Amino acid sequence: MAIDPDYLLNIDLPEVRQPVGPQEYALYALSVGLGQDPMDERQLRYVGGFESVDPFPSIPVVLGHPGFWLSDPKTGVDAVRLVHGEQGMTIHAPCPASGTVVGKTRVTGLVDKGEGRGALLYWEKELRDGDTGTLLATTRSTVFLRGDGGFGGSAGPVKTPHSMPETEPDFTFDGAVRPEQALLYRWQGDDNPLHRTPSVAAKAGFERPILHGLCTFGMASHALLATLCDYDASRFRGIDLRFSAVVFPGETLRTEIWRDGSFRTRVLERDKVVIDNGILDYA
């Protein structure tokens, strides 16, 4: 079944209402690697080490998430072969300490790269406070549909990535991906079996299940929060990045960071850049 561009561009995804509070915030932070040092009180504020739990700044990407909607056969998408290409986020207001949030996702673009070259699907989510209607964050995603090019769609426009500095980075930050991290992160709303089932990963061409792109995103966000924001979430205002390779649970991520907010992340064991063209908007 081929992609129907009119269907995808006009799909009406339902709003997703989600309760939030200390448990949701702590589990998210734990799922992106915080808390591995139980003596670091700067991290403990996000994972429940104290009376209250601060929302980790990258959590809007998973709140109000519509789930793995591209697995619906009506989309015509080869869901086994899709990969997360880019992710961005702008924070407008802090998440409530507890309450309800509402996410509304809409498709904003579809690019046909041609037969055998795949397609790019762009979508955006607005996250609002369920009680006040306040806009909390706008998240932006690009998905590379590896098996779905050549359906006769538009060839553009394509998002331009951030240009990286040519100097050496000012900071580096290392983080270990726990062996079971993808199995934990799945409960953040992304139940794609590519990340948990070996046979599905093999069918997609991977030797074993891969880490969720948004988990890698969260780990890079941790590196940026630690180095450029001194663990102060109010200074973390927006982020954009491009995923350039997969990450496997059990590997080690090193994020290379510049003072202007530019960053990239590599896997140390393979010396492979997995996030590139990153830029953080921070105070």
Side-chain angles (χ1 to χ4, degrees), residues 33-148:
L34 275 79
Q36 294 189 38
D37 181 356
M39 297 301 293
D40 188 344
E41 294 190 358
R42 300 170 303 167
Q43 295 185 42
L44 293 182
R45 64 193 287 189
Y46 297 104
V47 298
F50 303 104
E51 291 290 328
S52 61
V53 180
D54 292 347
F56 193 73
S58 63
I59 195 172
V61 298
V62 301
L63 296 179
H65 183 62
F68 191 31
W69 61 274
L70 283 171
S71 64
D72 186 339
K74 293 180 182 178
T75 66
V77 169
D78 183 351
V80 172
R81 296 186 63 195
L82 66 83
V83 294
H84 202 152
E86 296 169 317
Q87 183 65 43
M89 176 180 66
T90 300
I91 297 175
H92 306 288
C95 289
S98 62
T100 302
V101 294
V102 180
K104 177 63 176 177
T105 300
R106 65 186 183 92
V107 173
T108 57
L110 179 63
V111 173
D112 187 353
K113 296 175 68 68
E115 184 70 33
R117 298 181 60 203
L120 298 173
L121 180 69
Y122 299 94
W123 76 67
E124 182 177 282
K125 180 186 72 185
E126 288 190 343
L127 184 71
R128 295 182 180 273
D129 188 306
D131 297 322
T132 66
T134 300
L135 180 62
L136 304 174
T138 303
T139 69
R140 301 170 292 276
S141 302
T142 305
V143 174
F144 181 28
L145 309 177
R146 295 188 297 158
D148 298 296

Side-chain angles (χ1 to χ4, degrees), residues 167-191:
T167 58
E168 290 296 310
D170 298 302
F171 310 99
T172 60
F173 185 94
D174 293 353
V177 185
R178 295 192 303 270
E180 77 286 2
Q181 197 157 334
L183 298 174
L184 174 62
Y185 188 85
R186 111 180 236 206
W187 300 107
Q188 296 302 326
D190 187 342
D191 198 27

